[in-house]
Amino acid sequence: MDTADGASTSEDRARTLTGRRGRRRAQTASMADVARLAGVSSQTVSRVSNGYAGVNEETRQQVLAAMKELGYRPNSAARALKRGEFRTIGVITFNLSTTGNMRTLEAIATSAAQEGYAVTLLPVAVPTQDEVRGAFSRLGELAVDAVIVIMEVHLLDTATISLPPHVQVVVADSDAGDRYTVVDTDQVGGARSAVRHLLDLGHRTVWHLAGPEESFAAQRRADAWRAELAGAGRTVPPVVRGDWSAESGYRAGLHLADRPDCTAVFAANDQMALGLLRALHERGRRIPEDVSVIGFDDIPEAGSFLPPLTTVHQDFAEIGRLCVEGVLRRMRQEGVEHGTTLVPTQLVVRDSTGRPAAGAEGR
């Protein structure tokens, strides 16, 4: 009997406690409520909710537990007004289908999160002045502190496009030059190292499967390919052009496979190189014995191509980090200058390149 009474009393207490917690959650919890429940000051709650250092881990966990129990969520709008910032970076990009843009965006989001910032993405379908202006207006309505623009196409070198002068902006993968703060891969150095690798293997010349004409990166890589061949006193073959896709690489590969004088191809990205490998295989051209193929990007799957693809590695993580660092420095008025910061590339040699077959190098 006593046991039953004791159990009943415990159940009543549990129900009472649960009811109190339910009533607490039903109301809008304040920072003061969290402080009382956690047994700390409101200032400590503020420091924990804002992610500041100087709070020991045990106290931090007490505060977080109290927040969870009360269903408390920090008022981000109020914090933004108090601090004068929203801790959000806007990203405008014109193409989400290319490997470079997607990996740059991923790297920006990762680096921003490490700095305690969120990212708001705004894709723009048509790269025109009106669309860019509209994108900046929409980002302003979404309350962002600064903007990173991934502008792979030729725009900022023309009078057609200009970015608002009052907005803190960093541009990635662009030809904006000294008008803006730009972060980009060393397109020229990467492309020249690819061509040099093939010439050093003994190939008389190197064909180029280029990206689309409107792409800044494609132009830089094509110009570097041409300059490296000319500097070595080699014949410069006509450019074969694709659109970054594996399908366009396949179509180009069918054309190149019919040329016995083609013993080496530098593809402007790995996806086109993949299609090229397929076309050469279907036409009976062995890789690398008959044709050496080298790409650009070093996508995660490049080592699993058949054969594994020699390619130029881009450090997208570093590009993202520098973009975020640059835009934060501009926000903090730390004297960031206009101009371009180039991130070095690295040649990754795998099995898709080799010496030309006997006699082929003399063609």
Side-chain angles (χ1 to χ4, degrees):
M1 186 71 174
D2 290 341
T3 303
D5 287 344
S8 177
T9 301
S10 298
E11 290 172 1
D12 289 343
R13 288 174 179 169
R15 281 195 293 269
T16 299
L17 182 58
T18 300
R20 288 174 180 170
R21 287 176 177 172
R23 285 193 296 275
R24 282 175 180 167
R25 290 192 183 98
Q27 301 170 356
T28 301
S30 68
M31 185 179 294
D33 295 329
V34 175
R36 279 192 296 271
L37 184 60
V40 299
S41 68
S42 293
Q43 183 180 14
T44 299
V45 175
S46 176
R47 295 186 69 82
V48 172
S49 65
N50 286 294
Y52 292 144
V55 180
N56 70 55
E57 188 57 28
E58 183 179 352
T59 301
R60 185 183 302 279
Q61 292 305 320
Q62 285 179 227
V63 172
L64 292 175
M67 287 180 177
K68 183 176 181 181
E69 181 175 334
L70 295 174
Y72 172 78
R73 293 186 178 183
N75 188 328
S76 57
R79 285 187 299 166
L81 289 172
K82 183 177 180 180
R83 294 185 309 201
E85 62 178 24
F86 299 94
R87 298 195 74 80
T88 300
I89 298 172
V91 177
I92 296 174
T93 183
F94 299 100
N95 191 341
L96 285 172
S97 64
T98 65
T99 296
N101 285 1
M102 284 302 298
R103 293 186 68 185
T104 300
L105 176 60
E106 179 185 19
I108 288 170
T110 299
S111 295
Q114 291 172 348
E115 295 289 340
Y117 282 75
V119 166
T120 296
L121 173 65
L122 194 64
V124 176
V126 183
T128 64
Q129 179 68 68
D130 287 342
E131 287 291 322
V132 171
R133 189 182 298 110
F136 273 93
S137 296
R138 290 191 292 278
L139 280 175
E141 295 167 2
L142 293 171
V144 301
D145 300 304
V147 178
I148 296 172
V149 182
I150 305 175
M151 191 173 286
E152 185 227 357
V153 295
H154 280 286
L155 285 174
L156 293 182
D157 58 345
T158 70
T160 308
I161 293 289
S162 61
L163 304 183
H166 61 283
V167 180
Q168 300 302 331
V169 175
V170 168
V171 183
D173 193 14
S174 178
D175 49 4
D178 293 334
R179 296 171 59 195
Y180 304 97
T181 298
V182 179
V183 179
D184 193 19
T185 292
D186 183 4
Q187 311 283 356
V188 172
R192 296 191 77 141
S193 70
V195 177
R196 195 177 311 118
H197 169 67
L198 293 168
L199 295 181
D200 288 345
L201 287 171
H203 295 276
R204 297 299 300 166
T205 192
V206 178
W207 290 69
H208 184 43
L209 172 50
E213 288 185 284
E214 66 272 15
S215 166
F216 160 72
Q219 178 191 317
R220 284 285 193 269
R221 294 170 198 179
D223 289 348
W225 157 77
R226 189 176 292 106
E228 189 66 21
L229 288 180
R234 308 299 176 88
T235 301
V236 180
V239 172
V240 180
R241 198 167 292 279
D243 60 11
W244 297 132
S245 70
E247 179 59 31
S248 70
Y250 174 74
R251 292 193 299 269
L254 294 177
H255 165 70
L256 292 172
D258 292 334
R259 299 196 62 100
D261 58 338
C262 177
T263 67
V265 182
F266 164 42
N269 77 334
D270 291 349
Q271 290 292 339
M272 291 194 297
L274 175 61
L276 174 64
L277 292 176
R278 176 191 166 197
L280 293 172
H281 173 74
E282 288 183 359
R283 292 297 175 89
R285 301 295 298 276
R286 298 170 302 164
I287 303 161
E289 292 85 356
D290 297 326
V291 183
S292 285
V293 176
I294 188 167
F296 202 111
D297 282 339
D298 193 23
I299 62 175
E301 301 81 9
S304 298
F305 286 9
L306 189 62
L309 183 68
T310 296
T311 185
V312 176
H313 176 79
Q314 292 198 73
D315 192 345
F316 291 104
E318 181 67 2
I319 293 171
R321 187 190 70 79
L322 289 174
C323 284
V324 172
E325 178 186 275
V327 83
L328 292 182
R329 289 182 64 191
R330 293 192 68 83
M331 287 166 50
R332 296 162 184 163
Q333 298 182 342
E334 294 179 355
V336 178
E337 300 294 332
H338 290 170
T340 300
T341 298
L342 294 180
V343 177
T345 58
Q346 180 182 357
L347 180 67
V348 180
V349 179
R350 299 191 179 100
D351 297 341
S352 67
T353 54
R355 298 190 64 80
E361 66 272 16
R363 289 174 183 166

